[in-house]
Amino acid sequence: MPTPALFKNLSTLVLCGALAATASVAHAERISYNVTTPDGVTLAVQESGNPSGPAIVFIHGLLGSHLSWDNQVNAPELQRYRMITYDLRGHGLSGKPVNAQAYAEGRRWADDLAVVMQAAKVTRPMLVGWSLGGAVISNYLARYGDGQIGGAVYVDGVIELKPEQIVAHPQVYQDLNAPDLKSHLDTVREFLGLCFHTQPDRSTFERLFANAAMASWDMQRAVQSMDVDAVKALGGATVPVLLLYGAQDALVQTKPAIARAKQLNPRATSIVYANSGHAPFLEEAARFNRDLAGFVDSSAIH
């Protein structure tokens, strides 16, 4: 006759098996794959969340990677969406070409995004671009139009690479390309610190710093002269556009950037987080996730 101890052991085994199965399912929802751009660059792509949910494509900023969006792809409140991230050319696990044209020509970044969307087979996704990612969205819109997307969110996005919209840090941008490794890494750390009004915890900062140190030096030299056709992009956009910025941004001039975007697209709406810097999706992640979800859901009914 089975003993109580045996039932207890069996229950434990069943519970462990169920937890393992659940973990396996959760793991199966996170997939990674590579795509190849028209000019031969390999891009690392990641997917998570609900494969059948409304799609969101996250586009990180300068010196970032898909890890920049950890507070979104791991957020319980966003798991009903299909979340797609990828490492921009010259960043993270993606290819790092050495020729300057690979980074200075905005159309190449636009083609990258188009290839990722095509490979993922997404239907009218919401594009969310942080900083440099905003310029990528603009170049995509200028090249492909907005017929294949549901909307766009510029998160402290670069509207145009103009002095009145970008905070001047000449020494920082110069020393990012310093041939001396110590100078370069010290400047990378300084640049990363400028991204936050409220600094992240130490482990997060260290991970982001290590991630930033992986970025191509060739990219960092050339991307500062990237062409961005914001006039054609924002001026021609008919889908919903949200400008979500931090008031304490130390890299992008919040008010002039929003004003310029609204001049080009008067239908664009804006939200400013009074206590965030350049990275509101990390500094005020819970609020950002709520605002993003609300915008995605409201855009779906337009």
Side-chain angles (χ1 to χ4, degrees), residues 66-278:
H66 67 280
L67 296 179
S68 301
W69 302 108
D70 272 2
N71 283 353
Q72 283 64 59
V73 300
N74 294 320
E77 64 269 27
L78 296 183
Q79 295 309 304
R80 58 193 174 95
Y81 301 103
R82 180 185 178 195
M83 294 179 283
I84 300 163
T85 58
Y86 71 101
D87 294 348
L88 294 173
R89 57 176 54 216
H91 295 77
L93 300 176
S94 288
K96 299 174 175 63
V98 297
N99 56 310
Q101 292 82 3
Y103 304 108
E105 295 177 351
R107 64 175 179 82
R108 303 203 190 203
W109 303 80
D111 290 344
D112 293 354
L113 177 54
V115 166
V116 169
M117 289 169 54
Q118 182 179 17
K121 296 181 173 63
V122 289
T123 301
R124 298 187 64 79
M126 179 64 65
L127 304 183
V128 180
W130 173 41
S131 193
L132 175 63
V136 174
I137 291 177
S138 288
N139 281 325
Y140 171 86
L141 291 173
R143 187 162 170 79
Y144 294 95
D146 63 3
Q148 301 300 314
I149 68 170
V153 182
Y154 287 72
V155 185
D156 290 77
V158 171
I159 303 302
E160 294 165 320
L161 289 167
K162 293 185 176 181
E164 62 269 24
Q165 297 176 37
I166 306 296
V167 179
H169 295 288
Q171 196 63 46
V172 170
Y173 289 112
Q174 176 182 318
D175 288 350
L176 280 176
N177 303 310
D180 174 66
L181 182 59
K182 182 178 184 299
S183 297
H184 171 76
L185 291 177
D186 286 348
T187 307
V188 167
R189 183 182 294 277
E190 182 179 357
F191 175 84
L192 190 59
L194 289 170
C195 288
F196 310 104
H197 177 61
T198 301
Q199 296 294 313
D201 62 82
R202 181 176 178 180
S203 62
T204 298
F205 187 90
E206 289 178 349
R207 181 170 61 252
L208 294 175
F209 174 69
N211 183 76
M214 293 176 63
S216 161
W217 287 17
D218 298 296
M219 178 276 300
Q220 292 173 62
R221 280 190 291 270
V223 75
Q224 296 180 37
S225 59
M226 177 206 283
D227 56 283
V228 183
D229 195 348
V231 175
K232 184 177 180 181
L234 284 166
T238 60
V239 296
V241 174
L242 173 63
L243 311 164
L244 199 160
Y245 285 65
Q248 309 300 324
D249 196 328
L251 294 173
V252 170
Q253 298 277 13
T254 296
K255 290 183 178 179
I258 292 176
R260 176 56 172 160
K262 288 188 173 183
Q263 179 186 30
L264 296 173
N265 188 333
R267 296 178 301 277
T269 59
S270 61
I271 302 174
V272 176
Y273 289 8
N275 296 316
S276 279
H278 191 59

